[in-house]
Amino acid sequence: MNAHPPAHLELHISGQNRPATDGARQEVHSPATGEVVGSVPRATSADLEAAVQAAHTAFQSWSALTSYEREKIIRRATAHVRTQADYLGRLMALEQGKPLAQSRSEIGGACDTLDYYAAEGVRVEGWTNPTEDRNYRSWVQYQPVGVCGLITPWNYPVSLLSWKLGPALAAGCTVVVKPTSVTPLSPLAFCAALTAGGLPAGVANAITGSGSVLGEALIQHRLVAKIAMTGSSDTGRRILGLAAAQLKKVSLELGGQCPAIVCADADLDLAARMIIYKGFRNCGQSCSSINRVYAHTSIHDALVERVRVLAEKMSIGDGLTDPQVDLGPMATADGVQTSLAHVHDAVSLGATLITGGAAPAGEAFARGHYFRPTVLTQCTPEMKVMRDETFGPVVGFQTFDTTESAIALANDTAYGLVAYVFTQDFNATVRLSEALEAGTVCVNHGAVNTNYGPYAGWKDSGYGLELSRRAVFEYLKPKHIKVALR
Ligand code: NAD
C-alpha cells in the first residue's frame, strides 16, 4: 500500500488552480515503487492560450512596478514558500526519487535564488553617452522582454525552474512554466505557492502536458517573447530551430559529459570525496555530474580504491521513508537501462568493473529504479561511458601521463559544461583551467552552481547563460533613447 496520499494537482493559470478544459489528466509514478502517486491535467491548446493571455495581461502591471516594489513582493512570496518546504519537498521526493532531505533543501535553495535575483533587479543599470552634438541627449535603458516560456527537466525540478524564474520576475517579465511530465507536481505547486505568498495573479502560470505538443505550442505562441529551457542537447536544438523562425530570445542549458582531471599532487581524499559527490549525488542525474576521471598514472590505483570504499558505503533506499539516505531510486526506468547499457558497453570493450554495475539486491529494491554507484577502470575514449551522457551513477576512469594528454582527453567531447581539476599546484591550476573547453571549471571542489557564477554551456552544452547577475539581461532588452533638444 502507498503510504503517501496521491497528489492530484491542477494547472495554475491567472492565480487559479484549475483542470484542463477537456478534463484530461496524466498520471505521475513513484520511481521508488512504480505506483501512481499523483496526477496533473494534460493542458489543451485553450489552456495554453489562457495561460499566455494571463501572463500577457499581468505583464502590463508587473512590468510597470519599480524593481524595488517587485523585490518586496518576491521576497514576501518566497518567505511563504519557505514555510511550505516540507510539502513541496515531499512532492519532489515522491515524483523524482530524491531523498527528502535533499528535496526540501532544493526548495530552500530555489527561494534563495529568487531572492538573489529580486535584489539583482534593483541593480540593473543603463548608461548615458557623450553625443556628437551638444543638443543631443543619449541614454540606454533596459526593459523586460515580456512573457517568457520556461521549459524545465526532471532532475532538479524546482532548482532549475528558479534559475529562470528568478531573473525573469526580477526583470519585470511574466512567465508560463511547462515542467516535464516526469516531475510536474513540485514545480506546479511551487508556482501556486508563490501566488499564495502574494505574487500577483498571472505573473507565474504553470501548465502541464507533453513537450512535443504543449512545449512546441508555447514556443511558437506569438505573445511569448523568450524561451528558457533546460534539457537534453537534442531537444535544445529543436527548440532553438522553432524559436529562430520567430527570432525569439532563447537561453538553453543542455547536456554534459564532465571530466575530472586528478593530478599527481592532488589531495586524494578530497578528490575521492568530490568524485563521490559529483559522480553519484542524485544518482548521477545531473548535467554537471563527473562522468569520467583522468587520473595520473602514479595515483590512479590509490584514488580508485578510495572511491570504491566510499561508493560502497553509500546508503540507498526510498528517500521518503528514510529522508537522510544518500541515494534514492533513479527517476525513470530508462535511466537504469542507459546506465546498464553503458556498463555493458564498457566491459565488452575491456573496462574493469570495480563496484556497482547493477541494482542493489533485496526485496526493498525490487520495484523501484535503483542502481548502485558504479566505478569502471581501464576505460578508453570510444566507450559510451567516456563519451555519451549516461545521466546515471556511473563513473569511468582512465590514466594519463602528461598534462597535455589529460587536456586532450578531457576536451575530446561534443559537450562543454563543467570540468573538474584536482591539483595543489598553482601553475597546473591556471594552465588546465584555461585549456579546458567548458563553461565552468571547478578546481579542488564540487560546488558548481552558485547564484553569483555564470553557468554557460560551451559547445553542445548550451546557448546563452543562466545564473550570475548577467542572467537578468537574458530577460531584458536594451533601448537607446536619443533626444534632440530645441
Ligand atoms: P528533455 O530534453 O527530454 O526535456 C526537457 C524539457 O523539454 C521537458 O519539459 C520536456 O517536456 C520539454 N520538451 C521535450 N521536447 C520538447 C519539444 N520538442 N519542444 C518543447 N519542449 C520540449 O530533458 P530531460 O530528460 O527532462 O532532462 C535531462 C536532460 O537535461 C539531460 O540531458 C541533462 O544533461 C539536461 N540538463 C542540463 C542542465 C544544465 O544546466 N545544463 C541541468 C539539468 C539537466
Side-chain angles (χ1 to χ4, degrees):
M1 206 192 85
N2 191 350
H4 306 280
H8 300 297
L9 302 189
E10 304 296 357
L11 308 174
H12 188 63
I13 301 176
S14 198
Q16 305 292 316
N17 297 326
R18 55 191 235 196
T21 43
D22 66 0
R25 299 191 71 83
Q26 58 196 49
E27 292 176 340
V28 180
H29 295 265
S30 159
T33 64
E35 289 167 347
V36 174
V37 288
S39 68
V40 292
R42 191 175 299 130
T44 62
S45 52
D47 297 317
L48 168 68
E49 188 59 33
V52 174
Q53 290 295 343
H56 183 60
T57 302
F59 179 70
Q60 310 310 320
S61 46
W62 183 245
S63 61
L65 295 176
T66 67
S67 43
Y68 289 93
E69 289 167 326
R70 283 197 293 268
E71 181 182 10
K72 282 205 185 87
I73 294 170
I74 294 167
R75 283 185 184 277
R76 243 193 339 260
T78 54
H80 171 71
V81 173
R82 287 177 201 278
T83 68
Q84 308 292 302
D86 194 60
Y87 162 65
L88 296 168
R90 265 177 202 285
L91 288 180
M92 194 191 299
L94 206 54
E95 63 186 346
Q96 206 273 350
K98 198 175 291 179
L100 186 53
Q102 294 173 31
S103 304
R104 271 201 216 102
S105 121
E106 184 169 332
I107 304 297
C111 290
D112 292 345
T113 298
L114 263 57
D115 288 349
Y116 173 88
Y117 280 106
E120 260 333 291
V122 170
R123 297 187 195 113
V124 171
E125 293 172 341
W127 69 88
T128 61
N129 294 303
T131 56
E132 65 276 33
D133 183 299
R134 70 173 54 81
N135 286 322
Y136 282 143
R137 297 294 180 273
S138 160
W139 69 91
V140 177
Q141 67 188 46
Y142 284 93
Q143 292 180 213
V145 293
V147 175
C148 300
L150 312 184
I151 299 177
T152 53
W154 48 260
N155 57 338
Y156 289 91
V158 173
S159 172
L160 295 171
L161 169 58
S162 74
W163 293 7
K164 300 157 183 61
L165 193 55
L169 298 184
C173 297
T174 55
V175 306
V176 176
V177 177
K178 210 273 329 142
T180 159
S181 302
V182 180
T183 58
L185 299 171
S186 51
L188 211 46
F190 186 81
C191 292
L194 283 169
T195 305
L199 199 67
V203 171
N205 308 278
I207 53 175
T208 42
S210 93
S212 54
V213 179
L214 191 66
E216 296 205 3
L218 175 64
I219 293 161
Q220 294 176 92
H221 197 292
R222 70 191 163 78
L223 290 179
V224 174
K226 187 218 149 82
I227 296 294
M229 173 268 196
T230 298
S232 62
S233 300
D234 284 345
T235 307
R237 273 188 206 95
R238 169 91 188 139
I239 288 178
L240 192 57
L242 291 172
Q246 295 181 6
L247 301 174
K248 291 185 182 180
K249 248 175 122 80
V250 178
S251 46
L252 304 169
E253 290 301 337
L254 307 174
Q257 226 290 1
C258 305
I261 296 177
V262 185
C263 297
D265 68 333
D267 175 339
L268 293 190
D269 290 326
L270 171 75
R273 281 202 314 278
M274 291 303 124
I275 291 165
I276 291 288
Y277 175 61
K278 286 310 303 180
F280 302 136
R281 189 177 167 82
N282 199 20
C283 290
Q285 301 165 120
S286 165
C287 53
S288 62
S289 285
I290 292 179
N291 305 107
R292 48 201 168 108
V293 177
Y294 301 106
H296 191 269
T297 309
S298 62
I299 50 85
H300 172 271
D301 292 357
L303 178 66
V304 168
E305 179 55 12
R306 281 168 170 80
V307 172
R308 182 193 67 75
V309 168
L310 292 175
E312 289 177 357
K313 275 190 190 151
M314 293 188 94
S315 53
I316 308 176
D318 181 344
L320 265 170
T321 48
D322 187 356
Q324 299 298 338
V325 78
D326 293 320
L327 300 177
M330 297 187 72
T332 64
D334 284 353
V336 174
Q337 288 314 314
T338 306
S339 302
L340 263 177
H342 283 199
V343 172
H344 288 158
D345 170 78
V347 171
S348 73
L349 291 171
T352 303
L353 179 64
I354 299 294
T355 188
E363 184 55 29
F365 304 107
R367 289 181 307 151
H369 311 314
Y370 292 96
F371 202 77
R372 285 170 54 206
T374 299
V375 176
L376 294 155
T377 58
Q378 292 174 292
C379 293
T380 50
E382 72 275 16
M383 295 174 183
K384 287 182 174 163
V385 68
M386 306 300 270
R387 183 160 292 281
D388 298 347
E389 191 177 34
T390 311
F391 229 58
V394 183
V395 178
F397 280 70
Q398 184 174 348
T399 55
F400 73 88
D401 291 313
T402 66
T403 307
E404 290 67 31
S405 65
I407 291 168
L409 287 165
N411 286 344
D412 182 21
T413 169
Y415 297 104
L417 195 59
V418 184
Y420 301 81
V421 174
F422 295 91
T423 180
Q424 304 192 56
D425 178 69
F426 182 71
N427 285 304
T429 297
V430 174
R431 297 259 179 253
L432 282 162
S433 53
E434 288 182 356
L436 287 166
E437 294 169 359
T440 301
V441 177
C442 296
V443 182
N444 293 332
H445 71 92
V448 183
N449 296 122
T450 41
N451 289 326
Y452 56 79
Y455 199 46
W458 288 18
K459 302 198 283 192
D460 284 4
S461 289
Y463 188 84
L465 61 75
E466 291 199 314
L467 296 178
S468 85
R469 51 191 309 191
R470 293 277 175 87
V472 185
F473 293 91
E474 298 274 340
Y475 297 85
L476 291 166
K477 49 194 175 187
K479 181 179 280 176
H480 177 208
I481 299 175
K482 185 169 174 178
V483 179
L485 300 176
R486 277 192 290 137

